[in-house]
Amino acid sequence: MRVLIAQIPMPENRFLIDLNTEIARQCTIHHSSDDFWQMRGDFDIVHLHFPEHLTYEIERAYFQGLERGPQYGLQDALIAQVEERLKYWSARARLVVTRHVLLPHDAVEDPQWEKMYETFYRYADGVAHFANASITEFQERYRNTEWHRGYPPLHVVIPHQNYASLPNQISRADARKKLGISQNAQVLLVFGAIRSGDTERNLILQAFQNAHVPGKVLLVSRWREKLAKVRWIRLKYWIRDLTRLYYRLHPAYCFNYSFVREEDAQIYLNACDVLLIPRLKVLNSGNITLGLTFGKVVVGPDSWDVGELLKETGNPTFDPEHPETAATAVEQGFRLAQQGTIGPRNQQRALTEWSAAQCGDLYVDLFRAVLK
């Protein structure tokens, strides 16, 4: 079976690296956005992931729209060109899409991306979801879509594979020593990008500050700073540096401000007791699988796949319509961490049921199903 991965290179995306490695054990994989766009080659399956990263031109339109406004972003002419390619490939192969998000991060209010995503799915023969909630949401969102083949795509649930390929040798004590965190502290971790303007930033601070947890420490792998609204540039960055100094001297905060290398992720994950997903209306989060892989209690919003998976595994959730409930969920997370049962159970599930090999097999099964 010949599979075209239609995506620009994303060498730091561990999900794609591990999944494609496993699929390649059973299929001949060719990774090229150029061949997709130029309509070259002969393939049985075209596997699509993020529409906004299909080509460099589309990615550029995405970022320009965020930075300069919708009028500089994705336009109808580019969507039409994408549809031309999807129509070409659908006549020669079967198209499978993995549904990662509802819409691109930070562009959920842009109707052009609604149009682009619906175009992608209109030509899909199969859609892989991370949980059942995504299927339900998809069927409601696209209930009036006119499908290219006259019928909707095949839907299957394939878990987000674990992160067992990441290094995981450092002990809890050594990780805390590296970060300068007390061995007796109760550590709440926020790992990865913080988005959505002030919303997620405020959610993190309020959940941490309002949670009644003795000896608590907030550990953030990449804190999102808010620069003061002053005209004098030097003053703006002087205030920033003063704020950084405050957090550095405060024993309850441990903030990093730069990108964390993949090999250093283990330091943060092994130093913490609870992992917080600071999102509100979100379809999926790889941090569920990440936290489970490292045997942590995970707290997140009761939102689509995130809520389904957290509740299914016994981890705490909060109401995204009422962000103030996150503090109570964090408190529950620390109680569960102290009891010492959920974390090991989380890890066992991630390692025994969500391996990259198992998930790769499920994708190959989906490819075969849509080819029948």
Side-chain angles (χ1 to χ4, degrees):
M1 195 185 318
R2 297 153 301 178
V3 179
L4 172 63
I5 309 295
Q7 185 83 35
I8 62 173
M10 300 181 73
E12 294 177 349
N13 190 308
R14 176 52 51 183
F15 173 87
L16 294 177
I17 293 168
D18 290 346
L19 178 61
N20 290 336
T21 297
E22 293 302 326
I23 293 175
R25 298 186 192 281
Q26 301 182 59
C27 305
T28 301
I29 279 189
H30 180 59
H31 197 142
S32 175
S33 63
D34 287 343
D35 285 348
F36 174 86
W37 197 253
Q38 299 300 329
M39 296 175 279
R40 293 190 302 243
D42 185 17
F43 301 96
D44 303 298
I45 297 290
V46 176
H47 193 183
L48 302 159
H49 287 275
F50 305 95
E52 62 271 29
H53 301 299
L54 177 63
T55 69
Y56 288 109
E57 183 182 4
I58 295 170
E59 184 184 65
R60 189 161 50 250
Y62 170 51
F63 289 127
Q64 285 182 346
L66 296 180
E67 294 167 5
R68 303 174 64 190
Q71 67 271 30
Y72 297 98
L74 181 65
Q75 303 300 317
D76 286 343
L78 189 51
I79 296 175
Q81 291 177 49
V82 170
E83 183 162 17
E84 179 186 352
R85 272 76 182 171
L86 292 169
K87 188 177 296 184
Y88 171 88
W89 286 111
S90 68
R92 293 159 177 80
R94 293 294 180 263
L95 276 57
V96 170
V97 183
T98 296
R99 194 182 195 211
H100 295 267
V101 295
L102 296 175
L103 291 168
H105 297 304
D106 299 323
V108 294
E109 303 297 329
D110 188 340
Q112 290 297 97
W113 284 105
E114 284 269 15
K115 192 183 301 183
M116 172 70 100
Y117 267 57
E118 184 175 12
T119 300
F120 252 63
Y121 291 123
R122 184 184 301 122
Y123 287 85
D125 296 287
V127 180
H129 304 259
F130 294 130
N132 286 295
S134 177
I135 298 178
T136 302
E137 199 283 338
F138 183 102
Q139 291 172 333
E140 173 62 23
R141 180 180 291 263
Y142 300 115
R143 65 187 182 278
N144 296 321
T145 297
E146 295 182 6
W147 307 105
H148 176 64
R149 298 198 192 278
Y151 52 85
L154 172 66
H155 296 284
V156 299
V157 172
I158 301 178
H160 186 304
Q161 77 266 5
N162 65 39
Y163 285 93
S165 61
L166 291 179
N168 187 13
Q169 291 87 33
I170 194 169
S171 68
R172 180 178 186 269
D174 287 344
R176 291 191 170 198
K177 188 175 180 180
K178 272 185 172 290
L179 294 168
I181 296 174
S182 167
Q183 299 296 332
N184 298 319
Q186 298 197 71
V187 180
L188 178 68
L189 171 65
V190 175
F191 191 86
I194 298 172
R195 306 187 183 96
S196 303
D198 292 338
T199 303
E200 293 182 4
R201 186 177 177 277
N202 292 338
L203 172 62
I204 294 164
L205 291 175
Q206 291 169 13
F208 175 73
Q209 292 166 356
N210 294 332
H212 300 291
V213 178
K216 62 187 179 182
V217 170
L218 176 60
L219 173 61
V220 182
S221 68
R222 192 174 187 181
W223 182 240
R224 183 188 181 107
E225 296 180 284
K226 182 180 180 181
L227 295 177
K229 293 182 179 180
V230 294
R231 297 181 65 181
W232 192 27
I233 297 297
R234 287 187 180 181
L235 178 59
K236 185 190 298 280
Y237 285 98
W238 183 83
I239 294 172
R240 183 205 66 178
D241 292 342
L242 191 63
T243 304
R244 284 188 177 188
L245 178 62
Y246 167 80
Y247 283 126
R248 186 162 68 247
L249 295 177
H250 199 299
Y253 298 92
C254 184
F255 289 174
N256 180 61
Y257 298 93
S258 57
F259 182 78
V260 174
R261 296 180 304 171
E262 201 173 63
E263 57 267 29
D264 291 334
Q266 60 172 328
I267 299 172
Y268 289 84
L269 287 153
N270 284 317
C272 79
D273 300 291
V274 176
L275 176 62
L276 172 65
I277 300 172
R279 310 279 193 245
L280 293 175
K281 291 294 186 179
V282 62
L283 180 65
N284 298 301
S285 174
N287 275 359
I288 297 175
T289 308
L290 182 65
L292 267 63
T293 302
F294 280 79
K296 303 300 172 181
V297 176
V298 181
V299 176
D302 186 3
S303 177
W304 293 301
D305 290 359
V306 174
E308 177 182 334
L309 291 169
L310 289 177
K311 289 188 289 187
E312 184 181 298
T313 52
N315 291 272
T317 62
F318 59 86
D319 183 353
E321 298 291 344
H322 299 279
E324 66 274 11
T325 60
T328 302
V330 167
E331 293 172 357
Q332 184 185 356
F334 278 108
R335 286 195 296 270
L336 291 172
Q338 288 182 332
Q339 292 169 10
T341 55
I342 292 292
R345 193 169 72 196
N346 282 344
Q347 189 171 50
Q348 181 181 19
R349 178 161 190 177
L351 296 180
T352 61
E353 299 181 25
W354 298 349
S355 73
Q358 289 167 308
C359 296
D361 287 345
L362 292 174
Y363 272 95
V364 174
D365 290 344
L366 173 57
F367 297 163
R368 290 175 177 146
V370 297
L371 284 169
K372 288 181 180 178

